[in-house]
Structures are given as structure tokens and as C-alpha cells.
Amino acid sequence: MTAVLEVTGVVKRFGGFTALSEVSISVGAGERLGIIGPNGSGKTTLMNVIAGRIRPDAGGVRFEGRDIGALPAWRRARIGIARSFQIPLPFGSMSVLDNLRVPLEQGGEADPPGRAAALLEDFGLFPRAAARAGDLSQVELRKLELARAVAGNPRLLISDEAMAGLSGSEIDEVLELLLRLNARGIAVVMIEHMMRAIMRFSGRVVCIEAGRIIAEGPPDAVVADPGVRRAYLGA
Amino acid sequence: MRSWVRFAAGGLVVLLLAALAARWLANDYLFFAAFVVLQFVVLATAWNILGGYGGYVNFGTGAFVATGAYAAVALQKLADLPLPLLVLAGTAAGAVLGSALGLLTLRLRGIYFAIATLAITIILETVVLNWDYVGGARGITLDRPHEDPFFGTYNRMLVVLMAGMAVVAVGIARWVGVSAFGRALSAIRDSEDAAEACGVPTLRRKVQAATLSGAMMGAAGAPLPLYLSFVDHTAAFGLNYAVSAMAMPMIGGTGHWIGPVIGAVLLGTAQQAVTVTISSEVNVLITGLLLIGFVVAAPRGILGWLGR
Ligand SMILES: Nc1ncnc2c1ncn2[C@@H]1O[C@H](COP(=O)(O)OP(=O)(O)O)[C@@H](O)[C@H]1O
Ligand SMILES: [Mg+2]
């Protein structure tokens, strides 16, 4: 499998606190990678390093073979790295449709409103096209985040706890969406606490604890790992 | 496209009315009031591009007006350039100030830009106070024509010029409001992180907005010394510019190009009425009170009130 993303030896410190120490991870083209780990273990920080929101103190990030360490977040977005945010960040004062027009226009799409409408249809948000994004429900916000993230036709999608705070049936809806996006060839990195979703979704699972990768492999093996059980599952 | 035709027609009507009024109306005070109100239409509209669409508050409108005004003064004294070139110089000077300020501070988020705009006002005022060539603390009297072959007086011609600038400024704001550029600015206002994640080069867009806004403010400042035929630092750097250019969009509504126009016409006219009936000192007070009232009672301005 060719790697779409390669992270090597990433270190990130916040003041004296080391949030990531020498993390290396790679994601294959079209892969479904699940990431688990206790709160505060550095999952979001690692995604921020990949997406270019924060700069690591050491280490490198390659995307499709290219060193992107020096690229700002907006450039990484344009070359195919998409992400949703753990706390949804809609363009709250804008309409749902206009939320999607932003990435489409940045990506040089020929017909942003038309493509935005098609995306909304696809994500089951079309009836809400004219609503203020700030007025959406939690599950609608999660869907909007994902629709906006993939509007620019990415090769990699990072989903940061998109299921947090959702009900059982809503979790299934989001999971279906992520599977469908993956079926179109987008590699998906799914950070999630919901073990049921992780098991169903992931081809491979990585467990992060205190800024280090403590286990990696097939879902069953990682969940059975004694270190993972101790650190994460509390068993 | 159709709506642009209507907009252009509306703009032409405004200009024609201004030109007709300039030729036939007698009351000179009315012209001064019109000059001030039209200048505020430009300033409030310019402020709203960065402040309303982009969410970056500029407390330095006075500094931008002064930059345009003193660029005109310096060039008029130096080379006696024709009026269009003076306005162009003011526009360019405002643009340079806007982009410089933007590049220096817009890397940082939120409040830093606002503080920098306050600081730049103080710095530039100090520069002007010590710059003898443009009059220093004494101010400077300009040698400019008093007649105009078409409109009678030079000042009436300047009112028509300001009307033209207002139409152009509002047209620019209207374009920004419906463009990808404007949506990128609104995205930045709502969430800078999400905007970046959508591929918006946030710093570049912010600097562009500051440059455009600054250019428009500089343009509006250039005719000021010519109109007054005298200018000093108090006239150009006045607190009233900073407060009003911010209050007008907030009172009218920041989300739409018409908001700053409504705010400028209402508040600007009220200010002129107060100046005649009470005193110009009361202006800033009234503007401030109105601003507080709107922020508390109608945070989305008159437009929000009307349900827009
Ligand atoms: N900007 C920041 N400044 C300081 N500390 C931070 C910052 N971002 C994250 N941290 C810290 O880094 C650690 C990892 O955080 P995070 O990556 O959000 O964890 P996770 O997503 O796994 O819950 C936490 O202890 C958090 O407090
Ligand atoms: Mg997190």
C-alpha cells in the first residue's frame, strides 16, 4: 500500500509539557485508520501538526511523498488534507450553503453553488441549505463539518471525534457517511472514543497515550493489548 | 447582473441629484453637511469591509483620513497637482498604511490589530505635529481655487466628487459582499481556524481587506483639506472619525452593504443637526451613547431589527 501520509518523529512541547514525543505514523492511500487514546493523550495535537494548525518542535510530515512541513494550513487543505474539528467550527453567521461555498471557491471549483447544493443533498443537509449554520443541531453540525471538509476533494480526511455527544442512531449516520467517503477513495483517520464505531470502521487502530504510540495493529489485537487495556479501557 | 444594472442606475441618480443640487441649491451650509455625510458614507462603508465582513475592528479611521488628507496637502504644496491626482495620492497612501498595518499586526488575532490602529493614530499625529512642511501644530492654509466653471464654487464641485466616491465605495462593498473574497472574510470572522482548513489564505485576505479599506478611507480624506481650505491635526485625526466610522455600520447593520449607508446617513445627518442646534462637541457623546444603545438593544443594527 502506498502511503498518503507519513509522519516521522514528531515532537511537540507546550511550555515544559511534552504533548507528543517522537510520534511516527503513516496512513495508506484509501486506508481506514482508527485512533484511540485517553483524553489529553495528544490525538488532536497530532492532527493539528498534520493539518498545519500547529508547528512541531521536531519531526516531519510528508503528504503523497512531498515534504509539507513548511506549508501553512490553508495550503495543506488545498493539496488534499481535510479535517473536521473536535469542537465544531461552523461559519455560524453564514448559511449552510455558503459554508460549503467557501472551500469550493478556494479550490477553484467551476460552479460552487451548484456543487455545494449537490454536497448538501449527499450529506442529507439539503433541507437546511438556507439555515444559519449557527442554528444547526449537533448532528447537523457534525455533518456540515464533514461536508465542508471533503468539499475540496481531499485524499485524506481527519475526523476528530465527530461522534462525540451524538445519540446511537446519529452515530450510525455519521459512521455511514465516513464509510461512504472512504469508499470513494479518501483515506480516513478517525479519532473516536466509541469502541463500537472504532471496531466497525477501522482496518487498523493506533492507540496513543501520553504523547506516544503504545499499540498499533488490527482492531482486535490493539483492543486486546494489555497496555491499551490498562491505559485506556481501564481494565 | 440585473441587480448590478439597478445598482448602477441608482448610483447615477444619486450623482445626478448631487450635481443638480450643487448647481441650483443656494444654502451653503447644506453643502457642508452633505460633504460630511457623504464622506461618512465612504468611511463607514470602508470600515465595514474589514470590521463588518472580516471582524477586525479598526479604531484608526482618523489616521487613515489624515493620511489621505496630508498626502493631498503635501503634494498640492509640492507640485500643485490637479485634484484627481491628489485623490489618487490619498488613496495610495491609505492603501500603503492599511497593508503595512495589516502585515505588521494581522498575523496576530483579534485585539492586537485594534490596539495597533489606536497606536498608529497617536504615532501619525505626532509625526504631523512635528512636520513643519505641512503646517505642524499650527495647521496649514491651502491655496486652492474658489470657483468652479460648472458648479459655481469649488466646494460644490467637491461635494459632487464625494458623492461619486460614495457611489463607488458602496459599489465596491456590494461586490465584496457577494464575492468569494467577501465570503472568505466572513469565514475568517466566524472562525479563522476553519477558514484556513477550507483553504482560505487568512493572512493574505486580511491584509487585502485592510489595504482596500485603507485605500477607501485615504481617498475620502484627500478632499477634506481642499474643502476646508485649511487643515490641522485636530480636523484630520479627530476622535469623531474613529468613533463614527465604527458606530455607523454597527447602527445600520454590518452584514450587508446597505447597513453602513443607513447608519452614515442617519447618524451623519443627526450629527449635523446637533452641530447646528447645540454644538459639535456633543457629537461624539451622542454617537457614543447611540452605539452603546445599539450594542445592547439591537446588536445586529437596524437591518437586524428589520429582520434582514
Ligand atoms: N495550545 C495548547 N497549549 C498548551 N497545552 C496544550 C495545547 N493544546 C493541547 N495542549 C495539551 O496537550 C495535551 C494533549 O492535548 P490533545 O491533543 O488535545 O489531547 P486529545 O485530543 O488526545 O484529548 C493536553 O494535556 C492538552 O492540555
Ligand atoms: Mg482531542
Side-chain angles (χ1 to χ4, degrees):
Chain A
M1 190 158 46
T2 56
V4 64
L5 180 78
E6 287 164 287
V7 176
T8 42
V10 162
V11 176
K12 179 65 197 177
R13 294 184 203 91
F14 294 111
F17 173 76
T18 304
L20 295 172
S21 40
E22 300 268 345
V23 173
S24 299
I25 191 173
S26 90
V27 182
E31 191 185 357
R32 290 192 303 274
L33 176 66
I35 295 194
I36 59 174
N39 280 325
S41 59
K43 304 181 296 295
T44 297
T45 303
L46 178 59
M47 297 310 130
N48 283 337
V49 167
I50 294 168
R53 190 189 186 194
I54 60 177
R55 293 286 147 112
D57 296 305
V61 182
R62 299 182 81 82
F63 182 69
E64 297 185 325
R66 168 182 177 194
D67 180 2
I68 58 165
L71 298 186
W74 65 270
R75 273 219 175 279
R76 298 190 198 194
R78 287 197 188 178
I79 63 172
I81 299 179
R83 58 107 39 111
S84 72
F85 292 90
Q86 184 170 349
I87 296 160
L89 295 176
F91 302 133
S93 70
M94 298 163 72
S95 73
V96 170
L97 187 86
D98 279 356
N99 266 256
L100 296 193
R101 283 175 78 177
V102 173
L104 290 166
E105 283 164 349
Q106 299 305 320
E109 163 74 34
D111 172 27
R115 181 86 187 92
L119 268 166
L120 288 178
E121 189 72 68
D122 201 18
F123 280 75
L125 284 172
F126 192 74
R128 304 290 273 149
R132 268 178 89 252
D135 294 337
L136 294 184
S137 72
Q138 190 66 17
V139 65
E140 287 170 334
L141 274 181
R142 297 294 184 179
K143 289 181 186 172
L144 176 63
E145 283 258 320
L146 291 176
R148 198 177 60 184
V150 300
N153 290 322
R155 256 95 60 220
L156 173 68
L157 168 64
I158 297 165
S159 165
D160 195 350
E161 298 197 27
M163 299 169 193
L166 300 186
S167 74
S169 63
E170 291 169 344
I171 288 172
D172 289 338
E173 283 180 57
V174 173
L175 189 59
E176 284 313 317
L177 271 180
L178 289 174
L179 284 166
R180 255 170 54 210
L181 293 171
N182 175 254
R184 290 178 207 168
I186 304 173
V188 179
V189 174
M190 185 177 91
I191 300 177
E192 213 53 67
H193 286 303
M194 199 68 54
M195 287 319 285
R196 184 170 59 87
I198 283 282
M199 300 303 285
R200 225 186 106 196
F201 178 82
S202 317
R204 180 167 63 108
V205 173
V206 164
C207 180
I208 300 181
E209 194 212 354
R212 290 172 202 281
I213 293 179
I214 60 164
E216 176 175 358
D220 298 333
V222 170
V223 171
D225 184 285
V228 173
R229 298 195 77 81
R230 203 167 38 243
Y232 188 54
L233 304 169
Chain B
M1 217 57 238
R2 286 259 301 284
S3 72
W4 276 109
V5 172
R6 254 181 294 144
F7 180 82
L12 271 180
V13 169
V14 168
L15 265 184
L16 214 65
L17 285 178
L20 285 176
R23 270 208 83 152
W24 308 112
L25 279 184
N27 186 333
D28 267 330
Y29 180 73
L30 270 184
F31 282 102
F32 178 69
F35 181 84
V36 173
V37 170
L38 288 166
Q39 191 187 39
F40 271 130
V41 170
V42 180
L43 294 175
T45 298
W47 187 94
N48 199 48
I49 289 177
L50 186 62
Y53 296 160
Y56 275 79
V57 171
N58 177 359
F59 287 118
T61 303
F64 283 94
V65 170
T67 299
Y70 278 101
V73 167
L75 282 177
Q76 204 248 12
K77 203 179 155 192
L78 190 73
D80 200 13
L81 295 181
L83 179 62
L85 287 184
L86 295 181
V87 172
L88 211 63
T91 310
V96 169
L97 181 64
S99 53
L101 208 57
L103 278 171
L104 285 175
T105 62
L106 287 173
R107 242 169 252 288
L108 308 165
R109 292 182 187 180
I111 197 74
Y112 296 98
F113 177 76
I115 292 170
T117 57
L118 268 181
I120 200 73
T121 311
I122 297 164
I123 293 168
L124 285 183
E125 187 162 11
T126 312
V127 168
V128 163
L129 280 172
N130 292 289
W131 187 11
D132 232 31
Y133 187 72
V134 294
R138 284 166 288 110
I140 187 168
T141 303
L142 273 86
D143 192 15
R144 49 89 165 159
H146 288 272
E147 262 98 69
D148 181 83
F150 188 75
F151 297 110
T153 72
Y154 190 74
N155 274 354
R156 292 181 168 210
M157 181 274 293
L158 286 178
V159 172
V160 178
L161 170 73
M162 197 54 90
M165 282 164 53
V167 170
V168 171
V170 173
I172 290 173
R174 189 172 185 270
W175 169 79
V176 171
V178 298
S179 68
F181 176 55
R183 259 184 300 283
L185 288 178
S186 301
I188 287 170
R189 177 194 58 212
D190 286 352
S191 168
E192 216 147 323
D193 278 324
E196 280 268 329
C198 287
V200 177
T202 53
L203 177 63
R204 195 180 303 169
R205 291 291 173 270
K206 288 188 285 182
V207 172
Q208 285 165 343
T211 306
L212 179 60
S213 177
M216 289 160 71
M217 288 179 176
L224 179 73
L226 298 166
Y227 194 99
L228 302 173
S229 70
F230 169 82
V231 72
D232 65 5
H233 64 107
T234 54
F237 287 94
L239 180 63
N240 194 34
Y241 278 127
V243 176
S244 297
M246 174 167 56
M248 287 162 177
M250 296 186 105
I251 287 173
T254 55
H256 190 274
W257 61 268
I258 194 82
V261 178
I262 294 174
V265 170
L266 289 184
L267 190 56
T269 308
Q271 284 182 347
Q272 287 311 304
V274 169
T275 304
V276 180
T277 52
I278 311 172
S279 103
S280 64
E281 260 77 72
V282 187
N283 267 344
V284 179
L285 176 68
I286 289 181
T287 307
L289 288 176
L290 270 174
L291 183 56
I292 293 171
F294 267 87
V295 166
V296 172
R300 290 176 57 219
I302 291 172
L303 286 182
W305 219 1
L306 298 175
R308 288 293 298 260

